[in-house]
Amino acid sequence: MKHFIVVSDTSGKSWCINTDAIISVEDLRGQTAFYLKERKEPIITNLKFESVAAMLDAR
């Protein structure tokens, strides 16, 4: 079953991300980078890594 999360990047653009498309998530000291299968550049958010890890673990 696919799950989707909605996040905003550092420029304010919102992204609806299929959790199956996430390759990795990186802690950037107060920000988090999402690396996706079909995207070369990561999506950088102002979310704390711990919050993202908890959110993804809950899915």
Side-chain angles (χ1 to χ4, degrees):
M1 183 174 183
K2 294 184 180 185
H3 296 280
F4 294 87
I5 58 171
V6 177
V7 298
S8 294
D9 64 18
T10 54
S11 66
K13 182 176 180 182
S14 293
W15 297 85
C16 182
I17 299 174
N18 178 349
T19 56
D20 291 340
I22 298 172
I23 296 171
S24 66
V25 179
E26 182 181 4
D27 184 2
L28 301 175
R29 298 182 185 221
Q31 294 180 322
T32 301
F34 288 87
Y35 293 91
L36 307 176
K37 291 178 184 175
E38 297 181 11
R39 188 170 160 81
K40 292 181 181 179
E41 296 295 319
I43 297 173
I44 309 294
T45 70
N46 288 325
L47 297 170
K48 292 188 178 184
F49 182 77
E50 294 81 11
S51 299
V52 171
M55 178 175 51
L56 292 176
D57 189 42
R59 300 279 176 186

